[in-house]
Amino acid sequence: QVQLVESGGGLVQAGGSLRLSCVASGRTFASYSVGWFRQAPGKERELVAAIPWTGGTTTYADSVKGRFTISRDNVKNTVSLQMNSLKPEDTAVYYCNADFPVVGGAGGYWGQGTQVTVSS
């Protein structure tokens, strides 16, 4: 069992930065692939960024490449998302996910979400 708690959301002007953090409980955090998803009003939840359990190549949505950076710390059981050059279209509720072998599966774990609002 893994419990995920996100923090770091808020209101920021376009061009600004935010850093989201997700703290996981449980001793097997390093065994999971982790990622960030987001859901804007009226839209489906979409993958933003992910790191596999192997610690290998990260994955990013095309819309955030070059602006967002995902990282994980298996000692502190955390996964972070550094978001720079934010745009109004980045406004959404952001969710942390842990799953195996890839994120977003039916049996994974989700946080409660944190709101990110980018004003123009």
Side-chain angles (χ1 to χ4, degrees):
Q1 193 84 359
V2 175
Q3 292 185 329
L4 305 172
V5 178
E6 301 103 332
S7 62
L11 173 64
V12 65
Q13 289 188 335
S17 298
L18 282 175
R19 185 176 180 86
L20 305 183
S21 294
C22 175
V23 180
S25 64
R27 300 179 181 177
T28 60
F29 176 74
S31 300
Y32 290 90
S33 296
V34 292
W36 288 93
F37 288 73
R38 67 185 181 187
Q39 188 166 19
K43 295 187 177 181
E44 294 187 353
R45 190 173 296 189
E46 63 173 353
L47 174 66
V48 176
I51 298 180
W53 67 277
T54 58
T57 304
T58 53
T59 300
Y60 294 94
D62 287 343
S63 59
V64 306
K65 283 181 180 177
R67 301 188 297 121
F68 291 12
T69 303
I70 188 172
S71 59
R72 69 186 297 170
D73 185 330
N74 289 338
V75 175
K76 296 182 179 179
N77 279 9
T78 59
V79 53
S80 300
L81 185 69
Q82 178 65 42
M83 305 186 295
N84 299 326
S85 302
L86 283 161
K87 304 175 181 180
E89 51 264 43
D90 294 319
T91 296
V93 178
Y94 284 70
Y95 298 90
C96 180
N97 174 255
D99 206 343
F100 182 86
V102 296
V103 298
Y109 301 95
W110 294 91
Q112 82 287 354
T114 186
Q115 177 71 47
V116 171
T117 303
V118 184
S119 63
S120 57

